[in-house]
Amino acid sequence: MKRDPNDLQRYTASERANHWVVGISFILIALSGLALFHPAFWPLSMLFGGGVWTRILHPFLGVLMAVSFAAMAVRFWKLNVMTPTDWEWLKRAKEMVNGDDHNMPIMGKYNGGQKMLFWALVVCMALLFVSGILIWRAYFSGFFPVGVVRLGAVVHAAVAAVMIALIFVHVYAAIWVKGTIRAMWYGTVTRPWAKQHHRAWYKEMTGK
Amino acid sequence: MPLQSLDIAARSATTTPPPGIRKTLEVAKLIDVTKCIGCKACQVACMQWNDVRDEVGENHGTYDNPRDLTANSWTVMRYSEVESQERGLEWLIRKDGCMHCEDPGCLKACPSPGAIIKYANGIVDMQQENCIGCGYCITGCPFNVPRISEKDHKAYKCTLCSDRVAVGLEPACVKVCPTGCISFGSKEDMKDIAEERVVELKERGYGNAGLYDPQGVGGTHVMYVLHHADKPGLYHDLPTDPAISPMVSLWKGVTKPLATLGLAAVAIGSLFHYVTKGPNEVSKETEKEVEKELEEEGKQ
Ligand code: HEM
Ligand code: SF4
Ligand code: SF4
């Protein structure tokens, strides 16, 4: 559904659906994981029907997310290859965060920050998946020496904290940059939004 | 449920003090390996008192039966055949099971509040009704002791007969041992008994005899008298210097509260960024540019 004939299509319906599957499973995984992370978060286990259900559900949700994230990564990886302009953008990111984007280099569909986030999430997902298998006592831990399982526990907890922080930043960026969230609802953005934040992509889409 | 007469010194995944106003005597079980004949009476007594039965297994060519600790076998005898030049063949038999560490790695690792408790008397006990079956206790234990039951997915291990001890009885294995190899009482008394026995063993030519009460885990409430205390590994890989793994300490130490603060800082930082810098809106300038472009397009 196009809100305005001049709007630009940024995501297809299937890309958006894919992203929502990842997003919803991430929220459930993060909440159930945090319940086991520290006693301060233990009450979150009640959201899943108690501690036992939290322990059972978390890894299966993890597998769901790993699969849906892999599908998304395959779709988007080409668009996230870093270019010299992206590095230049990153060097100036501080100015942007401080509220002045006048000197920012012109960006394509994604800016340097978004691309770095993408790759950081790819690495986090891979580490969480591998370490998650190691500490999945019901099916897998028995196959590994205890030293490896211990390392897995440390990696899983540490990377989970990093990934949750990254997602905070990701969500906040979408809230901060007005007109962004609709890209995940309707798949479209306005022309001024595109021209302001992703001028090279705007040119590609409109020829202007 | 923990027995009220046994005060609680530590409780898993709990950040406030557990109930514990009473001062209880620290207890210990002393296993004098040098007196053990490997009859397995203790194994039988354990199953009987605790009313658990293991599957009938297979013969693996050793006397170890069952072959390993299980959710139903909380103690097993480990038979090691050791050959050395001075002594020829020795048959070293160790009663394996939970050591009831003063600093228990299982309790440290457990994420479920109250699934593992340590009584003031030193006994470490699992409270299966609070157990979620994650197996972190296995990851945390330096002695590879807890086991998750296939039947109910709860963790089980030796309770040091906390139910018997609470009413002034000795553990079932102590009660039944025919050679007097297992003693039970205050930790102080057990150390005294061990000391006397070690002197005796030294006189009999076991120059390295000694007490196994590993300080890396703060000492244990199950201790061994070993003829070869310099080489605990001879006794079916009893660890020489067990301690909670640094990995487990890192996993369960200050890093998590710090990470939690870090996450809170990111969230609150974002909020303050929004209210101090304001949202990143499309500038009027860009809007006008786009309008102009569209108008021109319309004219063409
Ligand atoms: C990718 C697939 C994943 C698998 C297979 C997996 C598996 C596991 C397993 C088996 C546990 C132990 C508790 C249990 O048995 O349920 C666990 C704990 C945990 N998981 Fe995951 N997980 C995955 C992804 C994630 C993700 C994406 C996050 C981050 C949001 C996460 C955060 C956590 C946290 C915080 C814990 C508690 C760690 C601790 O106790 O220190 N997991 N995970
Ligand atoms: S031996 Fe293992 S299970 Fe027993 S108290 Fe020590 S850490 Fe816990
Ligand atoms: S399996 Fe049970 S006792 Fe062991 S760590 Fe998990 S909740 Fe605690």
Side-chain angles (χ1 to χ4, degrees), chain A residues 105-128:
Chain A
I106 288 172
M107 285 288 114
K109 187 162 184 183
Y110 298 116
N111 65 40
Q114 289 171 304
K115 290 181 182 180
M116 286 309 278
L117 182 91
F118 174 86
W119 294 114
L121 290 178
V122 168
V123 172
C124 286
M125 267 320 293
L127 288 172
L128 282 166

Side-chain angles (χ1 to χ4, degrees), chain B residues 108-275:
Chain B
K108 185 169 194 156
C110 177
S112 181
I116 306 182
I117 55 178
K118 196 185 97 182
Y119 297 112
N121 66 9
I123 296 179
V124 179
D125 213 357
M126 288 174 173
Q127 306 292 308
Q128 280 81 15
E129 83 256 33
N130 295 332
C131 171
I132 63 169
C134 62
Y136 284 9
C137 46
I138 303 172
T139 309
C141 172
F143 295 94
N144 183 21
V145 166
R147 296 289 184 271
I148 307 270
S149 161
E150 301 263 326
K151 192 172 163 202
D152 61 10
H153 303 282
K154 306 287 178 200
Y156 290 92
K157 66 164 193 68
C158 159
T159 66
L160 205 63
C161 285
S162 55
D163 48 353
R164 292 174 58 94
V165 173
V167 294
L169 299 173
E170 60 194 357
C173 56
V174 181
K175 177 101 186 158
V176 81
C177 176
T179 66
C181 141
I182 320 175
S183 337
F184 183 81
S186 77
K187 179 145 181 177
E188 280 316 305
D189 287 353
M190 293 306 109
K191 278 180 165 171
D192 291 345
I193 294 179
E195 205 174 319
E196 279 173 33
R197 177 66 179 161
V198 167
V199 170
E200 225 171 82
L201 286 166
K202 284 191 170 156
E203 278 168 6
R204 294 216 207 154
Y206 289 101
N208 294 317
L211 176 67
Y212 185 82
D213 177 25
Q215 293 308 304
V217 290
T220 51
H221 296 270
V222 170
M223 305 184 293
Y224 293 113
V225 170
L226 304 175
H227 351 49
H228 309 294
D230 55 327
K231 291 184 202 133
L234 295 179
Y235 302 82
H236 198 278
D237 296 328
L238 184 62
T240 307
D241 197 7
I244 294 180
S245 153
M247 280 290 163
V248 174
S249 303
L250 183 65
W251 174 36
K252 291 286 166 172
V254 287
T255 36
K256 279 181 169 172
L258 288 180
T260 304
L261 285 179
L263 287 178
V266 173
I268 294 170
S270 304
L271 178 79
F272 277 89
H273 178 262
Y274 198 83
V275 295

